Amino acid sequence: MAVLTPARPAPAVTPARGRGRGPVRRVPPLVLAFVLVPLLAEAVWVFWPALQGFYLALTSWDGVSPPRFIGLGNFREMAGDEVFRTAAIDTVLWLVLFGGLSALLGLATALLLQQERRGVGFYRAALFLPVVFSLVATALVWQAIYQPDGVLNQLLDAVGLESLRHAWLADQDTALYAVIVPALWRQIGYVMVLYLAGLKGIDPALYEAAKVDGASAWQRLRHVTLPQLRSVNAVVLSVIVIDSLRSFDVVWSLTRGGPYHSSELLSTYMYSTAFQSLRLGYGSALAVVIFVLAFGVICSYLVRAFREAD
Amino acid sequence: MSNPHTSRRRFLAGLGATGTAALLSGCVTSTSSSKSSSSGAVSLQSNLSAPQAKAAMEDLVAAYGKKDAGRVTLNTVAAETFRTQLPTYLTSANPPDVYTWYPGSVADAYAKKDLLLGLDDLWASSPDLKRYSKALNTLCTASSGKKVFVPSTYYWWGMFYRKSNFEKWGVSEPRTWDDFLDLCDKLKSKGVAPIGLGAGGNTPWVASAWFDYLDIRINGAPYHRELLAGKHRFDDPEVRKVFDRWTELLPYFDPDGTALAFQDATTALLNGRTGMMLIGTFFADAAPKDALDDIDFFRFPVIDPKVPLAEEAPVDGYFASARTGRAERVTELMGYLATAQAQEIYIKGSSGTVLPCNPDAKDAGTALVKKGRAHIDEAVEITQFFNRDSSDALQPTADTALTKFIAKPKSIGSILTDWQRDAQKIWSA
């Protein structure tokens, strides 16, 4: 056999197989399983329900009878739905106020607490503490604060501002803003931690160089810190957009989107439409809109961020 | 020692099987006709999660367990979760067997979809159910003519107040609408908010009681039921009359009425910050025991004597899943729940402010309960409550419309137009 082998021309297809030059290696079954099993789990618990959600958005379904396919009927209805419009506007307002303020205040507290000084750990922990509490529990505490006889109104009485007393959660002019405060109270600590991590990653030599060049504190912030935090900003923005669009628990616990839809967000409208009014098709259509918004905002930002990085 | 390769393979196979099972169960929109296993205990899904009511249900299940009939497992779920999950329970392949819930239009909606177990045989054979009133009989019958419900207790709505406070303020129960307005004036002059509401927080539905009562006093119970069934429009002149009358009363309402949940409004009533409150007897669960003897109520005043007297008296009870695999034992359990003994056990264990549906069962025997029983007996018509005479799906439309009316009564025209539009979406869904 060994004598005959060199005399034969090598087969055209097989020679590379199993040799050092060939890139195709057999993947061990265990490795394959570690990829495929999570993929299967993901497919079952994430992709499949999501796809069903997209399908349900094209149906009229009360949760009991079989869904009835109505094409884009739910989306057409949405175009003329005043409550949807209110919820969309409130969601944008929420995104700007909750998102903007939590980013700004998170950055401000991170800048304030970045220096290692005595007792700074206590302040960092104190600011991060609300993140640990469940938002529903947070909402219950704030509900007591906002009650007509609650701490806030008592405080206003004590400082002679009785005229500002309010049924904060029951007044359509104040409900949305009253709900944003506990949400912010919780989010700032989280954003602060993200920025603190980003600040730790900045090379101190850059500050040294800036100082040598005579840059003021503001100039160092403007030209060193902020550009260096660009990658953290992308994370913070993604977190904020996703958290804004999925903000639900705090609003639901405090106002349920009321009074008369004045604090309605897309998420609360989706829930009440689907599970209270039992219009699961329309609720799914609202969920699709939320998904598209979140995906669109984040993708457009990331694309821009990567383009700038290039 | 086990072979590591074998266990890994088993582990992966197990995961695969779990995934496949989940994939199959993930088909939320698919329908299945498979029945639950006929073995094992009968499962009783209860929404009675208030501590006293929950304890009373546990007593009831324990008492049934002592009989030969077999075991029952009680699963208590928070009321809001129960309500939103009920369609899922009933349509699932392996549903709980028996449920606490409401008769009338609520049960009928499920019966129309063949999700409820038919109880005709039980109603025909049970010596207890044979003696139930004609009104209850009708209430438990679906529109197809099939019996689907076993009632257990009912309670009443009324204008509740604290006797000692009325004495202190020198006022008494009103008989007519004008008396009622006088009473409100007197209370207001004493610096008390005459009418507490409790439609804030998570209980905006309490405001529907005012809509229900004004409508049944002005337009009558038949019109009210038809309105809630979608046979009239919310922007009709008849409905407008309800709000015209309500507008007269608005200055007497507690300004915090839409800011406080009914539990907090109960505290305000007991503390004398408000004079009276239109509420069901369930509010007693939020009242301290020692205050219960001091609580009394009067009938919602008659507005038009020509309109037959109607009262809200919601009935509670049980229905069962059509997909149960234990129909025989489920029927036995429901027969037991209809007995005087079962209803007395529940009343004894709970706050005791409900009335038994079984004519032979004893109520708690307090003066308040006796008055409540007479209050219902005198009524020509009985209504359930807004969501029970319509649907849970319609309730949020009422919550929005009514709380907006209380805040902005002058916008009633547009409020009713919007209400009709929102309700139409529910009816045509």
Side-chain angles (χ1 to χ4, degrees):
Chain A
M1 295 266 294
V3 179
L4 289 174
T5 307
R8 280 187 177 177
V13 189
T14 52
R17 205 169 171 190
R19 302 278 163 86
R21 193 177 140 260
V24 183
R25 261 186 225 159
R26 194 162 171 268
V27 181
L30 183 65
V31 174
L32 207 61
F34 272 104
V35 174
L36 289 181
V37 170
L39 186 71
L40 181 71
E42 187 87 348
V44 168
W45 279 295
V46 179
F47 300 146
W48 177 244
L51 286 173
Q52 276 208 320
F54 281 112
Y55 166 68
L56 286 175
L58 304 174
T59 66
S60 172
W61 188 37
D62 62 0
V64 179
S65 317
R68 187 165 48 86
F69 186 79
I70 55 163
L72 295 174
N74 287 325
F75 295 96
R76 271 195 294 276
E77 184 186 330
M78 220 178 276
D81 183 350
E82 279 175 37
V83 183
F84 169 71
R85 213 168 301 150
T86 309
I89 292 169
D90 284 352
T91 303
V92 172
L93 208 61
W94 184 276
L95 193 66
V96 172
L97 286 177
F98 167 78
L101 286 175
S102 58
L104 277 178
L105 295 173
L107 176 63
T109 47
L111 288 169
L112 202 68
L113 301 177
Q114 66 168 322
Q115 304 272 338
E116 294 299 339
R117 296 195 195 105
R118 182 186 288 197
V120 78
F122 170 78
Y123 288 104
R124 283 180 194 160
L127 271 169
F128 189 73
L129 197 62
V131 183
V132 179
F133 300 136
S134 124
L135 253 183
V136 175
T138 303
L140 284 172
V141 172
W142 281 85
Q143 199 166 37
I145 293 172
Y146 285 136
Q147 285 274 321
D149 299 333
V151 177
L152 184 56
N153 280 340
Q154 284 177 9
L155 204 68
L156 289 171
D157 287 349
V159 295
L161 292 171
E162 297 92 341
S163 57
L164 293 180
R165 276 183 74 100
H166 245 84
W168 299 96
L169 298 171
D171 186 333
Q172 65 159 352
D173 297 328
T174 55
L176 182 67
Y177 306 102
V179 173
I180 284 179
V181 174
L184 263 180
W185 178 71
R186 185 176 187 269
Q187 189 79 356
I188 288 169
Y190 183 43
V191 176
M192 176 193 77
V193 168
L194 292 176
Y195 275 123
L196 273 177
L199 288 170
K200 293 265 178 226
I202 300 176
D203 188 350
L206 292 172
Y207 289 110
E208 292 300 325
K211 268 187 190 167
V212 170
D213 288 346
S216 65
W218 167 250
Q219 283 170 325
R220 288 200 297 276
L221 173 71
R222 169 84 180 75
H223 298 290
V224 179
T225 311
L226 294 182
Q228 289 293 313
L229 287 176
R230 195 169 288 162
S231 57
V232 182
N233 280 338
V235 175
V236 168
L237 184 108
S238 305
V239 166
I240 283 171
V241 170
I242 292 168
D243 280 356
S244 298
L245 287 169
R246 70 174 191 163
S247 288
F248 170 78
D249 33 18
V250 70
V251 186
W252 193 255
S253 306
L254 284 171
T255 63
R256 296 191 164 214
Y260 34 95
H261 304 300
S262 60
S263 61
E264 197 82 80
L265 300 182
L266 285 174
S267 55
T268 55
Y269 189 44
M270 177 191 76
Y271 181 84
S272 62
T273 308
F275 299 109
Q276 288 202 303
S277 301
L278 291 177
R279 301 183 66 219
L280 284 111
Y282 194 64
S284 300
L286 289 165
V288 168
V289 169
I290 295 172
F291 171 78
V292 169
L293 281 176
F295 197 70
V297 171
I298 290 167
C299 274
S300 63
Y301 179 81
L302 288 181
V303 166
R304 227 187 56 199
F306 282 127
R307 203 172 289 159
E308 279 174 15
D310 289 343
Chain B
M1 273 185 75
S2 64
N3 181 339
H5 292 289
T6 313
S7 32
R8 193 168 62 221
R9 206 168 294 145
R10 271 189 193 157
F11 169 73
L12 293 174
L15 263 185
T18 314
T20 312
L23 182 69
L24 294 173
S25 66
C27 303
V28 288
T29 56
S30 67
T31 52
S32 168
S33 59
S34 67
K35 306 249 176 183
S36 59
S37 159
S38 60
S39 60
V42 172
S43 53
L44 171 53
Q45 198 85 345
S46 166
N47 72 325
L48 301 168
S49 53
Q52 288 175 341
K54 188 181 171 193
M57 286 301 289
E58 283 163 0
D59 293 347
L60 192 56
V61 166
Y64 184 69
K66 284 180 192 156
K67 294 167 69 74
D68 299 335
R71 283 190 308 120
V72 173
T73 54
L74 177 70
N75 184 27
T76 305
V77 179
E80 178 66 9
T81 311
F82 185 100
R83 193 183 63 74
T84 53
Q85 290 293 314
L86 188 55
T88 313
Y89 297 148
L90 288 170
T91 51
S92 68
N94 189 18
D97 300 308
V98 181
Y99 306 79
T100 56
W101 208 236
Y102 315 139
S105 63
V106 177
D108 189 42
Y110 291 118
K112 276 182 183 158
K113 295 180 166 84
D114 291 328
L115 294 171
L116 300 187
L117 186 69
L119 301 170
D120 284 344
D121 291 345
L122 175 66
W123 274 83
S125 62
S126 161
D128 292 287
L129 286 169
K130 275 182 193 165
R131 301 196 58 247
Y132 275 43
S133 70
K134 193 168 172 274
L136 283 174
N137 210 299
T138 311
L139 194 65
C140 298
T141 309
S143 49
S144 63
K146 193 168 75 171
K147 296 275 191 302
V148 291
F149 199 88
V150 166
S152 60
T153 54
Y154 64 100
Y155 61 92
W156 69 97
W157 283 71
M159 296 296 304
F160 284 84
Y161 64 91
R162 194 160 186 167
K163 286 188 274 191
S164 57
N165 282 342
F166 264 34
E167 271 172 36
K168 187 174 74 187
W169 297 322
V171 294
S172 56
E173 289 184 4
R175 298 281 166 209
T176 63
W177 185 255
D178 288 339
D179 284 352
F180 182 53
L181 294 177
D182 282 348
L183 170 63
C184 290
D185 276 330
K186 276 184 196 161
L187 292 178
K188 202 169 181 184
S189 69
K190 290 177 190 298
V192 174
I195 303 170
L197 181 62
N202 290 338
T203 62
W205 49 269
V206 173
S208 300
W210 280 91
F211 177 75
D212 285 355
Y213 259 111
L214 286 165
D215 199 26
I216 59 179
R217 289 286 185 266
I218 294 167
N219 297 313
Y223 175 88
H224 184 62
R225 285 194 211 96
E226 286 169 14
L227 173 70
L228 302 194
K231 290 176 186 160
H232 301 288
R233 296 173 59 87
F234 283 105
D235 49 6
D236 278 349
E238 283 84 356
V239 179
R240 184 64 185 257
K241 276 193 264 175
V242 167
F243 287 93
D244 289 343
R245 191 60 77 148
W246 198 345
T247 307
E248 282 178 39
L249 279 181
L250 278 183
Y252 302 118
F253 271 71
D254 177 15
D256 292 334
T258 54
L260 296 175
F262 83 78
Q263 293 90 341
D264 299 315
T266 299
T267 308
L269 178 80
L270 296 176
N271 291 345
R273 291 202 297 276
T274 57
M276 53 200 158
M277 199 168 146
L278 177 61
I279 197 78
T281 57
F282 55 82
F283 88 106
D285 289 334
K289 284 265 182 198
D290 58 344
L292 283 178
D293 292 339
D294 196 26
I295 287 171
D296 204 349
F297 77 98
F298 59 87
R299 186 187 301 288
F300 191 92
V302 171
I303 296 172
D304 180 353
K306 289 196 287 289
V307 175
L309 188 69
E311 300 295 348
E312 296 245 83
V315 174
D316 293 333
Y318 308 88
F319 58 43
S321 167
R323 296 180 183 186
T324 177
R326 312 176 181 95
E328 199 179 320
R329 280 189 288 148
V330 163
T331 311
E332 273 175 40
L333 169 65
M334 294 183 90
Y336 173 72
L337 294 168
T339 61
Q341 184 203 1
Q343 291 171 17
E344 283 172 10
I345 289 172
Y346 178 79
I347 287 169
K348 204 175 163 194
S350 67
S351 63
T353 48
V354 291
L355 296 163
C357 289
N358 190 312
D360 297 330
K362 290 191 196 80
D363 57 36
T366 61
L368 185 74
V369 167
K370 276 186 189 141
K371 191 174 173 183
R373 193 184 275 277
H375 169 79
I376 301 296
D377 289 347
E378 284 163 23
V380 180
E381 293 261 11
I382 297 291
T383 53
Q384 295 290 299
F385 190 77
F386 189 94
N387 66 323
R388 298 180 180 215
D389 285 326
S390 57
S391 65
D392 282 335
L394 201 67
Q395 185 65 58
T397 68
D399 297 346
T400 302
L402 301 180
T403 49
K404 191 167 188 177
F405 163 72
I406 292 165
K408 298 179 168 189
K410 285 183 183 154
S411 309
I412 185 62
S414 63
I415 290 170
L416 293 183
T417 311
D418 291 350
W419 192 4
Q420 175 61 27
R421 184 201 58 209
D422 294 343
Q424 197 62 51
K425 286 182 194 167
I426 306 294
W427 287 321
S428 55

